[in-house]
């Protein structure tokens, strides 16, 4: 019989409360975590052979992504998933995109060969910007600089489905992804990991935490990774340094200082390929998974520096306060190529291209202040949350474009990746500079009410968003346009949700929620500034958790409608209006089960029916499905424990129903991918692991924006790791 540890941290709001962690032998991973404070008798009955170890952990007030309160995600009236670090390492997920591969309702890796940003669709809506410890990572909505946090520096990746603007303001309609930072612990734990793999992967990672004094804990997370990019001649390189300190200033106050630094001197830019040669056969056949339409000249680098301070204060037994402030300083330099209009007329081998560069800088600071008050009335308990959030972003970008006439074409049947000469490339054919200043001030209130087995969450938030863009355009050094435009918004977003817990483990829930997203730019016909896009969702579902916590499941149906969508024509994407509407309906079902003492299984299926319901600029698209969304997605994941020391895992991913463009001229072929892995515990301190993603090295097109812009899916990735824990 296996000896498998499951850890469940029972978080308390009191900063100095000792927390009991039950390490339950014979149970599965996080899906079966047990609250030892309430279920000890049941646990002993269900697992008579379990042995319990007790350690002491000092924890600040736990706040879940879904409600910013201590409400257990299992009891939250919404679709909510938590992917912990253990599972991330099993799947060797190096990015948020990879972490979401098994999440229902999410079309991840829209540009599977690209590493400069995380891009995915949740319930039919594009999401570019992740959250990190509850604060949105800054993005100006116009360029390519989007700070990323490597998943090794996160304790978990949490996914909340549907609009969340009632708590977070600026948020996408389909949902949000929050990366929970690794925090200092009061017990000494050290980990050193080496990883090697195909694509010349070389990686070393360190995670060390423990006490410095009785009131001061530290954590140091560091990583260095190098590998070849999937596309020919491209490379990836990353340096991560993330130290943090937590000081228990008094019995009631803790202060956490976090310093995050990530340097990516080599990243893979977004260089698309045409559908002919990828989706369809060209005269030379089909391109391989490493196909590239760029040049050795191409390059993308990014550097991000983010210090933050978090204060948790238990004012008294009923009143708590949380403050977090983060500053971001980021910059990115890019040299890239895109194909301007597909192949040269009459050819299916010679590709028209345009070379360009961007130089981007961004400064942002944001603060969130939360005051929570708990009180009881007759038969009812309340957890009132008051919040004030402010963020300010100043970004600038300089864009140079060589034009089609100044950029050499590429013969995809016999590519030459060393054609561009930096000295002679006419990048001054077109120049654009933008200076964007943005600010957002939001006030929110939420009441989490509980009547016996009924929990209701109701919230409202008011946001004022201001954006000013100064833009200059020039050709051959001669300025021909100077203009300033602003995008201001004042929005109120709400949420009302309820869940009822029956004694048999079933918990039906229903919710209504709203979102808004500010949009930069203006209508090219009227020159009027764009208004924010808004959306609302109706969701209903049911959750199940068995008494022995060995089986859990969630079923949800949803209907999301988004208005004021920015649309553009096919000839010139800069010709934009705001006359679009999109509706997305569907359902998601997921579940996990411990079949016996050596097999755990998790499965999911989602159906996403997104539809363009209004587009005055392109009426031919009305009734069509937007591109880059999988209508059907199914996953299966299993963990096997054949012995005390050996763990094996395997997964299958399937997606289908993705359109090649918004005209719905064709549908991409369905794809089924297999992942496998395993871990062997050599001794208590040393373990070796291995994983293979896309086991059979399936060559496929991951997504297309249109017939001239497609991206291959990730090829087979193999890695072996050696981890020392002490």
């Amino acid at each position: 019989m296996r000896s498998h540890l499951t850890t469940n941290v029972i978080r308390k709001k009191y900063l100095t409360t000792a927390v009991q962690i039950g390490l339950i032998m014979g149970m599965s991973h996080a899906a079966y975590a047990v609250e030892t404070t309430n279920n000890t008798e049941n646990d002993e009955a269900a697992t008579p052979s379990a042995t319990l170890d007790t350690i002491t952990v000092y924890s600040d007030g736990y706040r879940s992504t879904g409600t910013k309160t201590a409400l257990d995600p299992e009891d939250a009236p919404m679709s909510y998933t938590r992917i912990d670090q253990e599972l991330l390492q099993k799947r060797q997920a190096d990015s948020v995109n990879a972490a979401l591969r098994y999440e229902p309702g999410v079309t991840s890796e829209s540009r599977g060969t690209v590493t400069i940003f995380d891009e995915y669709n949740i319930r039919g809506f594009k999401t570019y910007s992740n959250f990190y410890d509850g604060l949105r990572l800054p993005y100006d909505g116009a360029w390519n600089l989007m700070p990323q946090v490597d998943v090794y520096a996160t304790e978990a990746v949490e996914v909340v489905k549907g609009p969340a603007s009632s708590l977070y303001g600026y948020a996408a309609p389909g949902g949000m992804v929050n990366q929970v930072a690794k925090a200092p612990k009061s017990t000494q734990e050290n980990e050193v990991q080496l990883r090697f793999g195909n694509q010349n992967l070389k990686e070393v990672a360190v995670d060390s935490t423990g006490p410095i004094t009785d009131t001061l804990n530290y954590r140091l997370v560091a990583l260095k990774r190098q590998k070849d990019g999937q596309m020919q001649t491209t490379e990836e390189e990353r340096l991560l340094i993330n130290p943090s300190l937590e000081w228990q200033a008094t019995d009631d106050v803790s202060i956490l200082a976090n310093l995050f630094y990530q340097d990516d001197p080599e990243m893979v830019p977004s260089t698309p390929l045409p559908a002919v040669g990828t989706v369809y056969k060209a005269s030379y056949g089909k391109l391989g998974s490493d196909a590239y339409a760029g040049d050795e000249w191409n390059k993308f680098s990014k550097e991000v520096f983010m210090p933050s301070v978090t204060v948790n204060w238990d004012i008294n037994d009923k009143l708590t306060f949380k403050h977090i402030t983060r500053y971001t300083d980021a910059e990115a330099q890019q040299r890239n190529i895109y194909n301007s209009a597909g192949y040269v007329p009459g050819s299916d081998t010679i590709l028209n291209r345009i070379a360009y560069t961007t130089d981007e800088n961004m400064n942002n600071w944001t603060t969130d202040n939360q005051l929570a008050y708990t009180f009881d009335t007759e038969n009812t308990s309340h957890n009132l949350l008051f919040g004030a959030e402010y963020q300010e972003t100043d970004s600038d970008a300089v864009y140079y474009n060589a034009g089609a006439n100044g950029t050499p074409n590429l013969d995809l049947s016999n590519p030459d990746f060393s054609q561009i000469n930096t000295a002679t490339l006419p990048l001054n054919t077109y120049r654009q500079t933008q200076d964007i200043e943005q600010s957002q001030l939001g006030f929110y209130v939420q009441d989490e009410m509980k009547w016996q087995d009924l929990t209701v969450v109701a919230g409202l938030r008011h946001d004022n968003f201001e954006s000013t863009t100064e833009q200059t355009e020039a050709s051959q050094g001669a300025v021909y346009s100077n203009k300033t435009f602003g995008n201001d918004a004042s929005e109120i977003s709400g949420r009302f949700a309820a869940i009822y817990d029956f004694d048999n483990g079933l918990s039906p829930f229903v919710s209504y929620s709203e979102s808004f997203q500010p949009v930069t730019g203006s209508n090219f016909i009227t020159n009027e500034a764009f208004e924010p896009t808004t959306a609302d969702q109706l969701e209903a579902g049911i959750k199940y958790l068995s008494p022995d916590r060995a089986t859990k499941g969630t079923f949800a149906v949803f209907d999301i409608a988004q208005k004021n969508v920015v649309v553009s024509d096919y000839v010139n994407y800069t010709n934009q209006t705001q006359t679009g509407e999109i509706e997305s309906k569907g359902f998601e079902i997921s579940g996990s089960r411990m079949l016996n003492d050596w097999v755990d299984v998790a499965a999911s299926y989602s159906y996403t029916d997104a539809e363009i319901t209004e587009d005055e600029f392109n009426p031919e698209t009305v009734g069509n499905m937007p591109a880059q969304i999988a209508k059907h997605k199914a996953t299966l994941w299993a963990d096997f424990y054949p012995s005390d020391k050996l763990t094996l895992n395997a997964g299958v991913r399937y997606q289908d129903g993705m359109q090649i463009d918004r005209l719905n001229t064709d549908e991409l072929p369905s794809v089924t991918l297999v992942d496998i892995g395993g871990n062997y515990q050599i001794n208590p301190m040393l373990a070796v692991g291995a994983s293979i993603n896309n086991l059979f090295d399936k060559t496929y097109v991951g997504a297309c924006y249109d017939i001239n812009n497609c991206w291959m899916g990730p090829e087979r990735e193999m890695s072996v790791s050696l981890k020392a824990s002490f």
Side-chain angles (χ1 to χ4, degrees), residues 374-602:
T374 60
F375 65 96
D376 295 329
T377 60
E378 186 177 357
N379 301 322
T380 307
S381 63
H382 293 261
N383 186 356
L384 273 175
L385 178 68
F386 301 92
E389 181 182 9
Y390 179 78
Q391 59 177 299
E392 187 175 280
T393 302
D394 185 0
S395 65
D396 60 79
V398 181
Y399 172 83
Y400 288 93
N401 189 314
N405 293 332
T407 307
N409 294 331
L410 181 71
D411 184 351
L412 281 175
S413 67
N414 185 26
D416 178 0
F417 299 120
S418 58
Q419 297 186 67
I420 292 183
N421 185 332
T422 303
T424 60
L425 189 66
L427 286 170
N428 65 343
T429 298
Y430 174 79
R431 186 191 80 222
Q432 182 183 125
T433 63
Q434 280 194 348
D435 188 349
I436 304 172
E437 295 184 0
Q438 298 175 334
S439 65
Q440 180 179 343
L441 175 63
F443 298 97
Y444 55 93
V445 60
Q446 176 182 268
D447 191 4
E448 180 187 307
M449 299 161 278
K450 190 172 181 63
W451 294 274
Q452 297 180 349
D453 294 319
L454 176 66
T455 301
V456 175
V457 177
L460 281 176
R461 172 165 168 153
H462 179 267
D463 282 280
N464 280 321
F465 175 85
E466 296 181 357
S467 175
T468 302
T469 301
E470 297 180 0
Q471 178 176 294
T472 300
E473 295 178 282
S475 177
Q476 303 295 335
V479 175
Y480 65 85
S481 174
N482 270 311
K483 63 180 179 179
T484 300
F485 53 90
N487 297 89
D488 299 339
S490 179
E491 292 291 333
I492 295 177
S493 308
R495 175 167 67 183
F496 184 86
I499 187 170
Y500 189 87
D501 296 325
F502 288 101
D503 293 338
N504 59 5
L506 292 173
S507 301
F509 67 93
V510 63
S511 73
Y512 171 80
S513 56
E514 297 174 324
S515 73
F516 88 100
Q517 287 179 288
V519 180
T520 60
S522 60
N523 187 308
F524 86 105
I525 299 174
T526 65
N527 288 322
E528 294 182 358
F530 287 142
E531 299 177 359
T533 64
T534 59
D536 56 69
Q537 172 188 262
L538 286 172
E539 181 183 29
I542 190 166
K543 299 182 180 183
Y544 175 74
L545 184 64
S546 63
D548 61 0
R549 305 182 75 88
T551 303
K552 75 171 185 177
T554 300
F555 174 77
V557 296
F558 63 88
D559 187 341
I560 306 174
Q562 184 186 32
K563 300 179 180 180
N564 294 333
V565 179
V566 174
V567 295
S568 59
D569 67 23
Y570 284 94
V571 178
N572 186 350
Y573 74 92
T574 62
N575 292 343
Q576 296 179 327
T577 64
Q578 197 172 26
T579 57
E581 293 186 7
I582 297 175
E583 184 175 10
S584 181
K585 301 178 180 179
F587 66 90
E588 300 157 358
I589 183 168
S590 62
S592 60
R593 168 69 179 171
M594 183 177 63
L595 298 180
N596 50 46
D597 63 354
W598 60 277
V599 180
D600 300 337
V601 175

Side-chain angles (χ1 to χ4, degrees), residues 77 570 632 660:
Y570 284 94
H632 305 277
I660 200 170

Side-chain angles (χ1 to χ4, degrees), residues 36-55:
T36 57
T37 53
N38 298 323
N39 299 309
T40 303
E41 293 181 3
N42 291 339
D43 297 340
E44 291 173 352
T47 55
S49 62
T51 61
L52 301 178
D53 295 332
T54 300
I55 61 177

